[in-house]
Structure formats: C-alpha cells, structure tokens
Amino acid sequence: MDFNQRFTDYFRLSISNIEKKLGLSTGYISNFKSGKIKTPSKLVFALKNEGLNPDYFLTGEGSPELLPAVTPTTLLPQQGLEERLVPYLSQMVGATTQLGGRNRILEIPGSEGLPPLWALQMPGDNMTPTIRQGDVVICTDDGYTGDGLYVYRTAGFCQVKRLMLQGAMWHVTNDNPAYPSWSTPVEELDVVGRIVYIILRL
C-alpha cells in the first residue's frame, strides 16, 4: 500500500478532503510526499489530535490508531534504590521535559551510572518478537555507542530499530521479517540512544 493509499483507505476521502478534515493547507500531503516539505510537523500534530498514529500514515508501520498512554509503572522494587523518573519522548518533535501524570514512568532498578534516560511506547510491530507493539522501551540519550537496538528521530518523529554503522551509512534492520531492512546516510537519522530496558506489555 503506497503513501496516498494509506490516507484514502483509512479516511475514505480524497486527499484534498483529508487535508481539509485535518486543518491542513491544500497540497500539504502531496508536497510532503514530493519532498517540498521536509519535516511534516503539522501533519503529525493533526494526526495525533485525531488519535491516529503518524508512523502508520508516514511509513506504513504499526496500526492507524494510537495506543493508549502507559500508566505509570514500578519495575521490580528494590530496597534502598532511589526512584528515577523517566520522561517520555514526544513522537512529534523530540523530547518533553514535563514530568508528571502520563509523561513519566517510575523507578527503574539498576539504572545508577547510566546517562539520562527517555521512554517511548512501541507504536508498531516492526520489532516483534524482540519488542512488541505496546511495550515500552527505555533508552539513553548519548547517541550511537555501537551496534544494537536504538531510538532515533527522523522526519520529526521517533522510531525503534536495530542500527549498524557501516562507514558513512546506517544499516537499519527490523526484527520482524515482514518489514525490510535498508541503508541510509548518517546525517538522515538523529540517534537518541541505545535501548537499555524493555517494559513488556502483559
């Protein structure tokens, strides 16, 4: 299914009427597809306001609807371990600094000595079975430190992939064989950090 078809199949409207429904200017979606708009922040914001998953419409990964926010969770409480608050990364533009309510999870055992941490709920099934849709990943914020599982930003939203640096190119892999692997220039991905915890959805 191509880019435009994901929109028209879900909304059952023409592209111009979808733009009106989302409050976008005429031609916005086509301009992004053609490369005239590099970072579709208005589109991502409009989709999230409708309760929809931008990853699905932009890349085809995951499901159209956003998953519900994760309730604050405590992992394996240990005596004498200080609570460490971990804020969620924003899917739209980067990182939110607000701590409280649904923007945090609680105590992360064994996290002493690690760089600052960020949390992200897995929006799609591209990393199954390693990380399932709805699981929460915790990543560092110190960028690329060697081959492994990472959170990175591209086109204004975050993704979870397995990254390998090969010269001036990233080799990007999904653990789910239904999704292809590819390579892209180093400057195309803004790597947040390596995944150090996975909180499983029961």
Side-chain angles (χ1 to χ4, degrees):
M1 185 181 299
D2 70 12
F3 181 83
N4 280 4
Q5 192 177 353
R6 285 194 292 274
F7 283 91
T8 55
D9 279 8
Y10 182 83
F11 287 96
R12 301 296 178 186
L13 296 170
S14 67
I15 292 294
S16 60
N17 284 328
I18 293 169
E19 289 167 338
K20 290 179 183 177
K21 178 178 176 63
L22 296 177
L24 302 171
S25 58
T26 301
Y28 186 98
I29 291 175
S30 296
N31 286 337
F32 169 66
K33 184 182 178 184
S34 68
K36 292 179 181 177
I37 295 174
K38 300 298 183 184
T39 303
S41 54
K42 291 181 180 179
L43 175 58
V44 172
F45 183 79
L47 289 169
K48 292 191 76 172
N49 271 354
E50 295 287 327
L52 300 175
N53 178 14
D55 283 359
Y56 170 79
F57 291 95
L58 296 176
T59 70
E61 295 181 4
S63 57
E65 286 82 19
L66 282 171
L67 293 166
V70 174
T71 303
T73 305
T74 300
L75 294 180
L76 304 174
Q78 300 175 4
Q79 280 191 328
L81 181 64
E82 291 185 4
E83 180 184 86
R84 182 167 184 175
L85 301 180
V86 180
Y88 273 87
L89 282 168
S90 165
Q91 281 289 97
M92 276 198 299
V93 293
T96 173
T97 56
Q98 180 182 356
L99 293 176
R102 292 184 174 181
N103 288 329
R104 69 179 187 182
I105 59 176
L106 300 179
E107 193 174 289
I108 305 299
S111 60
E112 302 92 336
L114 288 176
L117 302 176
W118 295 103
L120 181 74
Q121 188 171 19
M122 188 68 193
D125 63 350
N126 62 289
M127 293 303 291
T128 302
T130 309
I131 307 169
R132 302 172 305 160
Q133 186 172 10
D135 291 348
V136 173
V137 298
I138 309 294
C139 71
T140 63
D141 74 344
D142 55 354
Y144 183 78
T145 57
D147 300 346
L149 295 171
Y150 283 87
V151 174
Y152 66 81
R153 300 186 188 98
T154 183
F157 58 98
C158 295
Q159 292 200 6
V160 176
K161 306 285 185 187
R162 195 175 293 277
L163 294 183
M164 179 185 298
L165 187 58
Q166 298 177 326
M169 302 288 287
W170 293 114
H171 182 64
V172 186
T173 306
N174 296 290
D175 284 8
N176 185 340
Y179 294 92
S181 300
W182 72 94
S183 294
T184 191
V186 168
E187 61 270 15
E188 292 298 315
L189 304 184
D190 175 17
V191 178
V192 178
R194 181 189 290 270
I195 293 172
V196 291
Y197 293 92
I198 302 171
I199 302 175
L200 302 180
R201 174 181 55 82
L202 299 178

